[in-house]
Amino acid sequence: MPALHPRLRRTTIRLTFTALCAATVLWANQAKAMGLMVEAHSVCPAPTGPAPLQTPLPRAAQQRIPDSQAVPGQNHIAWVWLASPTLRYPHGALGAKTHAASLHALVQDGQGGWTTASVELPLHRVFEDRVPRLADLDGDGRDEILVIEADALRGAAVVVWGVVHSGQPATPPRLVRRATSPRAGSTFRWLNPVGVADFDGDGKPDVASVTTPHIGGTLTLYHYRPPRLVPFANAMDVSNHRMGAVEQALAVIVEQPGTPPTIVVPDMTRRALHALRWEAPGQWNELADLVPMAGLVERLGLRSDGSACATLSDRTTSRVTLTH
């Protein structure tokens, strides 16, 4: 290929540089146009979603640990709950120092009925959680269970449990550990999951969680790669929990057609909101400057219209909308 004349080469370089600058300005204008709009004193209706299975709550679930929730499912898991209260790990991140030693799920037995599958942790671990989460992480149409598990020496981790069916009528289904995230580091170091979504656009669900939300929170995104949850992104200055509170819902994932999922989460002071989106080529996009709130954020939940609802410490609520 013949070499370009020096004058033509300089012209080509100038045109390429101009095109790059124009693309950068266009991206910056688009990013600047996005943000959060907060409407104070707005009513927050309950979100709507797929109806859970119409299976009665089993009597055993009524013996779950105090302040915890029995969570209904929509697939082959009807209910999941935490039980076997223990004081062997006296950390008060969730208020009481009583935590669960066992996890239970009411699952399909493969013969048209339902049975309870359970797992009990060894003595050096507990479920330092109050709300088990259900999500299909491997795309097989069957949910996995996500819970916070604390280790006496290495702190908390997000652990994924799955249901295994033996195929033998005489052998009941059982819960097996599918994947574990890196632990928070030491005794009484805790984390709080945000939720599940395809953050990087590869067509597979990812897990979001905040490590040490009370002492310098880090938002981490994980790929589900059994037997591990593998971190691939981190963001600082976030918190999705108040120390000593039972409430664990202080961040939401907003999903809109044509755009990657956005995580709305308070900063470390819980007096302002971040809107964070993971975008190619592998970087966080803060969709707006920190949005100040009128008080301390105590809860964030999704509204029925897809926007978020922030509950403040004075019990007032605000609608939080992702704008374009």
Side-chain angles (χ1 to χ4, degrees):
M1 179 178 178
L4 292 174
H5 187 277
R7 182 177 297 174
L8 181 59
R9 186 164 59 245
R10 287 195 296 271
T11 301
T12 303
I13 292 172
R14 283 197 295 270
L15 289 172
T16 303
F17 178 75
T18 301
L20 287 172
C21 289
T24 301
V25 170
L26 178 61
W27 178 88
N29 288 337
Q30 289 175 338
K32 189 174 181 180
M34 298 178 183
L36 290 177
M37 180 175 67
V38 176
E39 302 172 59
H41 304 289
S42 178
V43 177
C44 291
T48 59
L53 296 173
Q54 298 300 309
T55 305
L57 181 69
R59 180 172 298 179
Q62 298 175 8
Q63 304 302 315
R64 61 189 181 273
I65 63 171
D67 297 321
S68 69
Q69 297 180 26
V71 177
Q74 299 161 5
N75 295 317
H76 71 300
I77 299 177
W79 293 94
V80 58
W81 66 95
L82 297 162
S84 307
T86 178
L87 290 168
R88 67 194 186 208
Y89 187 78
H91 187 214
L94 292 165
K97 297 180 180 180
T98 300
H99 303 298
S102 62
L103 172 68
H104 307 264
L106 185 67
V107 304
Q108 292 178 345
D109 61 8
Q111 302 177 67
W114 297 90
T115 188
T116 300
S118 304
V119 63
E120 186 155 350
L121 293 178
L123 292 177
H124 63 290
R125 290 180 179 168
V126 298
F127 293 111
E128 193 175 7
D129 206 346
R130 297 296 182 267
V131 188
R133 301 145 197 87
L134 293 169
D136 181 6
L137 293 178
D138 54 13
D140 67 351
R142 305 169 73 85
D143 284 340
E144 280 72 45
I145 305 168
L146 289 80
V147 285
I148 307 167
E149 179 191 272
D151 182 273
L153 297 179
R154 296 181 292 160
V158 181
V159 178
V160 179
W161 295 85
V163 180
V164 170
H165 295 264
S166 67
Q168 302 296 325
T171 305
R174 57 193 178 92
L175 297 180
V176 297
R177 183 184 297 258
R178 295 292 196 198
T180 305
S181 75
R183 294 195 177 270
S186 62
T187 306
F188 296 165
R189 290 291 180 261
W190 190 67
L191 50 74
N192 191 25
V194 173
V196 173
D198 179 12
F199 294 105
D200 60 357
D202 66 353
K204 301 176 181 178
D206 309 304
V207 177
S209 183
V210 175
T211 303
T212 59
H214 315 125
I215 56 172
T218 300
L219 173 64
T220 302
L221 303 181
Y222 302 91
H223 285 140
Y224 179 59
R225 301 288 187 267
R228 299 175 59 208
L229 288 175
V230 180
F232 68 92
N234 291 302
M236 311 295 287
D237 184 43
V238 298
S239 177
N240 66 339
H241 188 257
R242 174 173 61 83
M243 182 65 184
V246 173
E247 180 62 70
Q248 292 179 247
L250 260 77
V252 295
I253 300 170
V254 179
E255 299 190 69
Q256 298 178 334
T259 61
T262 300
I263 297 175
V264 179
V265 59
D267 71 345
M268 276 303 300
T269 69
R270 292 189 295 111
R271 292 183 178 275
L273 295 178
H274 288 285
L276 297 168
R277 180 181 291 167
W278 183 251
E279 294 184 343
Q283 62 183 5
W284 286 106
N285 180 10
E286 178 103 37
L287 300 188
D289 293 334
L290 277 174
V291 178
M293 303 297 289
L296 288 168
V297 180
E298 293 289 334
R299 189 182 192 280
L300 271 173
L302 284 176
R303 292 166 46 110
S304 56
D305 60 3
S307 62
C309 177
T311 303
L312 305 184
S313 55
D314 63 1
R315 300 304 177 188
T316 60
T317 57
S318 299
R319 182 187 182 192
V320 181
T321 305
L322 192 63
T323 61
H324 293 277

